[in-house]
Amino acid sequence: QVQLQESGPGLVKSSETLSLTCGVPGYSFKRGSYWGWIRQAPGKGLEWIGAIHQTGSTFYTPSLKSRVTFSLDTSRNQISLKLTSVTAADTAVYYCARHDLFFRGQGTPVTVSS
Amino acid sequence: DIVMTQTPLSSPVTLGQPASISCRSSQSLLHSDGKTYLSWLQQRPGQPPRLLVHETSNRFSGVPDRFSGSGAGTDFTLKISRVETEDVGIYYCMQATEFPPTFGPGTKLEI
């Protein structure tokens, strides 16, 4: 079982950039699959932000594409997310996961403050 | 993007009785590789989502056999043969046939 672990700042100021990382221990990205991020705003449903493949291929949800950057570090077995110009609407629990949800983290809460 | 809808959005259930949730996609989820990438997830209160069923009808590791998935094309169903207390939560369908994957709005199962 692959245990993903997200890490992040917890609190981000409005208009700044949110940076999150996720460790994927014991799994080689060379095996393929997309690895990315899902978020869930308080009291709301699940939303894919997007994901990245070891080949560099990415997908995004259209509404966030202009503000999102993904990276994948095979040497550290880690994926990262940067979300720019955050607003209160970006307050959510952020989960890292394989695209098929076979593996996912426990989530890290992010609050955007004014 | 493929739009996923679920019915009902809320479902009162009785312990020991069956329950059923429907999911419909805005286009066929049959992939060119012959597989149908429709999954079901359970989210208990305060917990992350948990994969129950993948590729329409395959139970994920450790999922009780009272959960079963079925369907094809654009119409899918999750059935619980006998509801238990621990089944309370929100159930989501998710398609991964076309990227980006998309979720249904969720169905709240309550006793």
Side-chain angles (χ1 to χ4, degrees):
Chain A
Q1 184 72 3
V2 179
Q3 299 288 340
L4 280 64
Q5 183 61 56
E6 303 94 343
S7 59
L11 186 65
V12 185
K13 291 185 178 178
S14 183
S15 79
E16 294 188 342
T17 295
L18 168 65
S19 296
L20 299 174
T21 59
C22 174
V24 188
Y27 189 97
S28 171
F29 288 132
K30 293 180 181 179
R31 293 172 60 182
S33 293
Y34 282 81
W35 296 84
W37 300 88
I38 294 166
R39 71 179 184 178
Q40 186 170 35
K44 302 296 184 182
L46 301 166
E47 176 186 37
W48 268 102
I49 299 170
I52 185 169
H53 192 274
Q54 178 255 339
T55 57
S57 176
T58 55
F59 69 78
Y60 304 87
T61 195
S63 62
L64 296 172
K65 184 175 182 177
S66 64
R67 297 196 290 132
V68 170
T69 304
F70 302 115
S71 60
L72 186 155
D73 186 333
T74 55
S75 63
R76 295 185 178 183
N77 257 56
Q78 182 174 283
I79 62 171
S80 300
L81 163 73
K82 288 189 186 300
L83 179 65
T84 61
S85 305
V86 297
T87 69
D90 297 310
T91 293
V93 176
Y94 286 74
Y95 301 96
C96 63
R98 203 170 80 170
H99 77 275
D100 52 14
L101 273 291
F102 273 48
F103 310 121
R104 55 104 182 101
Q106 289 295 110
T108 185
V110 174
T111 300
V112 178
S113 68
S114 54
Chain B
D1 295 0
I2 296 178
V3 177
M4 308 297 290
T5 56
Q6 290 180 231
T7 54
L9 296 183
S10 178
S11 179
V13 295
T14 303
L15 293 177
Q17 294 300 303
S20 179
I21 301 170
S22 295
C23 174
R24 179 167 288 180
S25 56
S26 59
Q27 61 193 72
S28 174
L29 298 185
L30 178 62
H31 195 276
S32 56
D33 65 6
K35 298 181 181 180
T36 299
Y37 294 99
L38 187 284
S39 299
W40 290 95
L41 301 105
Q42 175 197 62
Q43 188 172 33
R44 293 170 174 153
Q47 297 292 316
R50 166 198 181 198
L51 182 64
L52 295 177
V53 170
H54 63 98
E55 292 176 35
T56 304
S57 60
N58 297 308
R59 267 190 305 276
F60 192 56
S61 175
V63 174
D65 61 7
R66 65 178 182 276
F67 291 95
S68 64
S70 63
T74 61
D75 290 288
F76 304 90
T77 302
L78 176 71
K79 292 183 179 178
I80 308 174
S81 59
R82 295 174 305 281
V83 173
E84 298 189 5
T85 306
E86 64 183 22
D87 299 337
V88 166
I90 300 176
Y91 291 78
Y92 297 92
C93 59
M94 182 191 84
Q95 69 80 23
T97 293
E98 180 181 285
F99 285 178
T102 45
F103 294 99
T107 294
K108 189 173 186 178
L109 205 69
E110 45 199 355
I111 307 295

